[in-house]
Amino acid sequence: MQRKRTKRRINRKQSKDKNIKKYILSFSIAVCFGIAAFFVIRGFFEEPESFDSGKYFVKGIDVSHHNPILNWENVMEQNITFAYMKATEGNSHLDRNYEFNYGLARKANVKVGSYHFYTFALSGDEQANHFLKTAKFNEGDLIPAIDVEHSPANPYSKDKEFVAMVIRELKIMDNKLYEHFGVHPVIYTNKDCYKLYIKNNFPDNIIWMCDLHKEPSDDIKNWKIWQFSHKGELPGIDGHIDLNYYRYTFAEFKELLLP
């Protein structure tokens, strides 16, 4: 009788030990999956800090008053081909660093372009006039661009009439720039604004797509420029800077230049 009890106790202990081992194994696997998931998620949400693509070779940056005035000779040494810079916003605002950056970048032989930050609640005609009167457009510069994105000045709205108004005034601005330059402006935007305002409404415009997590898909028709980071770091440049790729070759890049 004693032997049977002892044997039962041993079996119970062995069973308990097996359960503990199973628990430890399951826990270890869960921890490993958790760590892996953490790094995958962190990698997804972290923005690249440098140009490291093996696919795209035409590199660009974009700047505004949020950036310091750059040493453009230094920018050129980083093999940066092009730079868009904010010129205007709304119907009266001029970016305070625009004239300095424009002049210094051209002097350093960086291909430069000017962009206008589009304000939803204002006349497209007035915004086009302000942009044309204020910004600089010289031979060999990049095609002008319009920045279309939500901001404190451009609230998101589901109201159909508001969305229609945004599109209508943007078309007015686009047409006025087309009449002036003979080419439609580049439209900078992100996925949300593309779906709301741009898709199927501006088929002739080159799209400059902001996507901080992955390359734009071919569902976004006519995308030619990809802004892939707001946290770029370049040697000799203070602070973060926006990084971009042109989609095609150096030879094809000429399509972005004004005649």
Side-chain angles (χ1 to χ4, degrees):
M1 189 72 178
Q2 183 64 34
R3 287 182 181 176
K4 288 184 179 180
R5 289 179 181 174
T6 302
K7 195 170 184 179
R8 287 174 186 168
R9 282 198 296 268
I10 291 171
N11 289 339
R12 282 198 295 269
K13 185 176 183 303
Q14 288 176 342
S15 177
K16 185 177 180 181
D17 289 343
K18 286 181 181 179
N19 288 336
I20 291 173
K21 287 179 181 178
K22 287 180 181 178
Y23 174 79
I24 292 172
L25 179 62
S26 299
F27 180 77
S28 300
I29 292 172
V31 169
C32 290
F33 273 112
I35 292 172
F38 168 77
F39 282 106
V40 169
I41 292 170
R42 190 179 74 166
F44 180 80
F45 285 105
E46 281 187 347
E47 297 173 38
E49 296 179 351
S50 62
F51 295 102
D52 57 5
S53 173
K55 182 177 180 180
Y56 301 117
F57 302 99
V58 185
K59 301 183 290 188
I61 60 174
D62 59 277
V63 297
S64 70
H65 66 275
H66 295 293
N67 308 100
I69 295 171
L70 303 185
N71 180 334
W72 288 93
E73 296 288 345
N74 192 351
V75 171
M76 192 63 176
E77 290 173 2
Q78 309 304 318
N79 297 315
I80 305 297
T81 301
F82 67 96
Y84 268 107
M85 47 199 64
K86 181 179 179 181
T88 52
E89 179 176 342
N91 57 12
S92 61
H93 177 77
L94 169 66
D95 189 275
R96 63 176 178 266
N97 288 347
Y98 171 69
E99 291 197 19
F100 297 103
N101 277 323
Y102 181 90
L104 293 170
R106 276 187 63 89
K107 189 176 180 181
N109 292 318
V110 178
K111 291 298 182 184
V112 298
S114 303
Y115 77 84
H116 173 86
F117 189 90
Y118 176 69
T119 303
F120 291 179
L122 297 179
S123 158
D125 186 68
E126 290 180 7
Q127 293 189 69
N129 288 336
H130 175 49
F131 187 39
L132 290 170
K133 180 178 68 176
T134 308
K136 301 177 185 297
F137 311 101
N138 287 298
E139 181 182 345
D141 282 358
L142 300 170
I143 297 171
I146 306 174
D147 181 343
V148 182
E149 60 181 309
H150 295 127
S151 71
N154 291 339
Y156 168 76
S157 174
K158 294 182 179 179
D159 183 79
K160 291 183 179 179
E161 290 187 7
F162 180 80
V163 171
M165 179 271 293
V166 170
I167 296 169
R168 182 178 65 251
E169 295 302 324
L170 183 57
K171 283 185 175 181
I172 291 171
M173 183 174 186
D174 171 55
N175 288 332
K176 188 141 193 174
L177 295 183
Y178 177 76
E179 290 173 3
H180 185 88
F181 294 106
V183 62
H184 288 279
V186 172
I187 294 180
Y188 167 92
T189 193
N190 53 43
K191 288 186 289 186
D192 290 340
C193 288
Y194 177 80
K195 291 176 184 176
L196 272 173
Y197 314 114
I198 310 304
K199 185 177 181 180
N200 300 325
N201 292 312
F202 297 89
D204 299 318
N205 299 71
I206 290 173
I207 302 300
W208 173 10
M209 179 59 60
C210 173
D211 193 325
L212 306 178
H213 306 306
K214 62 181 180 179
E215 176 186 285
S217 72
D218 288 332
D219 293 338
I220 300 169
K221 296 178 181 178
N222 212 28
W223 78 264
K224 300 289 183 73
I225 307 173
W226 172 24
Q227 184 186 82
F228 64 93
S229 179
H230 293 323
K231 295 184 178 180
E233 295 184 358
L234 297 176
I237 295 178
D238 294 331
H240 292 144
I241 194 163
D242 296 343
L243 305 181
N244 306 270
Y245 288 121
Y246 170 68
R247 187 177 186 179
Y248 299 115
T249 66
F250 284 98
E252 292 168 298
F253 174 75
K254 293 176 183 177
E255 70 172 329
L256 286 184
L257 304 181
L258 288 172

